[in-house]
Amino acid sequence: MVELPGRGETFVTDSGDRDAPVIVLLHAVVTTGLLSWYPVIPRLAEEFRVITMDQRWHGRGIVSEEFRLDDCADDVAALADVLGIDRFAVAGFSMGGGTAQLTWRRHHDRVSALVLASTGSYFGRAGSGRAVVDQMAGSLLRLVRTPLRTISAEALDDTDISDGAWALRQVRSTRLSRVGEIGDELGRFRSGEWLAEIDVPTAVCVTTRDRVVPPSRQQLLVDGIPGARRFDVAAGHACCVLQADVFGPVFVQACTWAVDSAGAV
């Protein structure tokens, strides 16, 4: 747990060589930093210092009165301050891709590169509420049928259980009673008007079999961000976990290209 001064506590993992280029990984909705990224962390950590964090209202993330993606983006910069990191790349999957874009917009002097996976310049229409999250989370939300109980830190850290049981605990650690408010905020997100201002190397991992964020919507990022490079992933929306063998190699390639390109500038 890491305290962000004036903001609150969040759960953070920090892997790899401390002197390597830093990449902050931002997770999808109704997941946690580890649940979205655990399959790919070991491979990324061979080249980068890899940081994950639980975003607000998710897992052991900051508990606040409201859920705002702007606050999530500011939390990324605040965490970098606490860890003594000046410049960093940001990678985001689905909801995390929206947070990543906002992190660049609000802290462009800190962000060296972007990797945007299975995400777009918008998620849905404003006011769509729970419907947005229901569509994006899909089967993960449908796993939660029983009354919610508080999940202890010990239970979340317990790996002496099946992968499925561990993943379900991660999902249940999110504030599912308020998913409608999360969905409303996702419905308000729009970056199309300022995509052309993004001036850092940007890799876009397009999940070509995605039924949640259609490939055509993901392509808007490629078309809108100057110099963006497309990396195709022949998989669906939950591929960061359920099809990690397909997603992982392409994502690592995208991260390497983006960070190397930033270093060459």
Side-chain angles (χ1 to χ4, degrees), residues 8-236:
E9 280 192 330
T10 189
F11 182 75
V12 174
T13 70
D14 191 347
S15 309
D17 187 340
R18 294 298 184 271
D19 295 323
V22 177
I23 186 163
V24 180
L25 305 180
L26 300 174
H27 61 78
V29 72
V30 197
T31 69
T32 65
L34 275 180
L35 179 55
S36 279
W37 299 113
Y38 80 89
V40 77
I41 289 173
R43 175 63 185 86
L44 283 176
E46 295 174 7
E47 301 181 41
F48 307 108
R49 179 178 178 182
V50 184
I51 295 169
T52 74
M53 63 184 299
D54 287 357
Q55 295 179 72
R56 290 174 178 242
W57 288 27
H58 291 74
R60 285 172 272 184
I62 291 172
V63 177
S64 55
E65 289 299 317
E66 298 178 324
F67 179 80
R68 294 289 182 265
L69 289 177
D70 282 352
D71 291 332
C72 292
D74 292 345
D75 293 338
V76 176
L79 175 61
D81 289 342
V82 170
L83 298 179
I85 297 168
D86 181 29
R87 294 269 288 173
F88 50 89
V90 185
F93 192 96
S94 192
M95 179 187 76
T99 305
Q101 294 171 63
L102 287 169
T103 302
W104 172 85
R105 181 167 173 78
R106 297 173 68 83
H107 305 279
H108 60 273
D109 58 326
R110 310 288 299 276
V111 176
S112 60
L114 290 172
V115 183
L116 307 174
S118 196
T119 192
S121 58
Y122 67 96
F123 295 115
R125 57 184 175 81
S128 53
R130 180 183 289 265
V132 173
V133 178
D134 281 345
Q135 184 186 29
M136 294 179 68
S139 59
L140 289 178
L141 275 178
R142 288 194 290 272
L143 290 173
V144 185
R145 296 292 190 184
T146 57
L148 299 180
R149 301 188 306 274
T150 300
I151 304 295
S152 69
E154 292 76 12
L156 289 172
D157 292 333
D158 182 11
T159 57
D160 192 24
I161 54 178
S162 70
D163 287 352
W166 176 82
L168 181 56
R169 289 181 181 180
Q170 296 292 313
V171 172
R172 290 179 56 232
S173 68
T174 293
R175 303 182 71 180
L176 294 176
S177 62
R178 300 181 71 175
V179 292
E181 294 170 70
I182 297 174
D184 285 337
E185 175 65 1
L186 293 178
R188 285 188 287 266
F189 174 76
R190 296 286 188 277
S191 62
E193 293 183 356
W194 46 265
L195 286 180
E197 301 173 18
I198 296 178
D199 57 358
V200 297
T202 302
V204 181
C205 294
V206 176
T207 41
T208 61
R209 301 174 184 174
D210 202 319
R211 297 183 179 181
V212 176
V213 182
S216 59
R217 191 185 304 172
Q218 300 177 55
Q219 179 64 30
L220 295 176
L221 297 174
V222 182
D223 295 337
I225 300 173
R229 179 172 174 180
R230 173 170 169 157
F231 293 79
D232 282 2
V233 182

